[in-house]
Amino acid sequence: VRLVESGGGLVQAGGSLRLSCKASGAILSDFSGSVMDWYRQAPGKQRELVASITTDRSTEYVNSVTGRFTISRDNSKRMAYLSMNNLKPEDTAVYFCNRRRSDWTWGPGTQVTVPS
């Protein structure tokens, strides 16, 4: 399974973006049975788990994005999404997705830049 992220860009502080993640090659039962995670990696920092969505669509977020980011999924399309509102300069990073086991091939990520 190959993951492809998209939707990043340059946005001013306070703006919004919606990131998409496509799990190409995943069969429906495999995708729908997986917890999906969004991660981010800022320059010089380790990859950080930002948001997760379970098979029954329960969600969890790192404290720094709670109330601003929303994770969702569309199993029929093998897609996961991350809606980001009220973006801040500290959200600047490359954003990646994977399932909880992280055994799918990592994608290139999508760059989100929020100038200070």
Side-chain angles (χ1 to χ4, degrees), residues 27-28 31-34 36 54-55 57 73-79:
I27 61 175
L28 178 58
F31 185 88
S32 62
S34 297
M36 292 301 297
T54 67
T55 56
R57 302 178 190 273
R73 66 192 298 161
D74 185 336
N75 292 335
S76 67
K77 296 180 180 179
R78 320 301 193 264
M79 298 286 293

Side-chain angles (χ1 to χ4, degrees), residues 10-63:
L10 175 68
V11 61
Q12 297 302 311
S16 300
L17 286 173
R18 188 188 191 216
L19 307 184
S20 298
C21 166
K22 173 72 173 177
S24 296
I27 61 175
L28 178 58
S29 59
D30 208 15
F31 185 88
S32 62
S34 297
V35 175
M36 292 301 297
D37 297 321
W38 277 97
Y39 300 80
R40 66 185 178 188
Q41 188 165 18
K45 296 187 176 181
Q46 291 189 333
R47 190 169 295 183
E48 172 189 36
L49 178 61
V50 174
S52 301
I53 184 166
T54 67
T55 56
D56 64 356
R57 302 178 190 273
S58 297
T59 59
E60 291 188 353
Y61 302 91
V62 68
N63 285 343

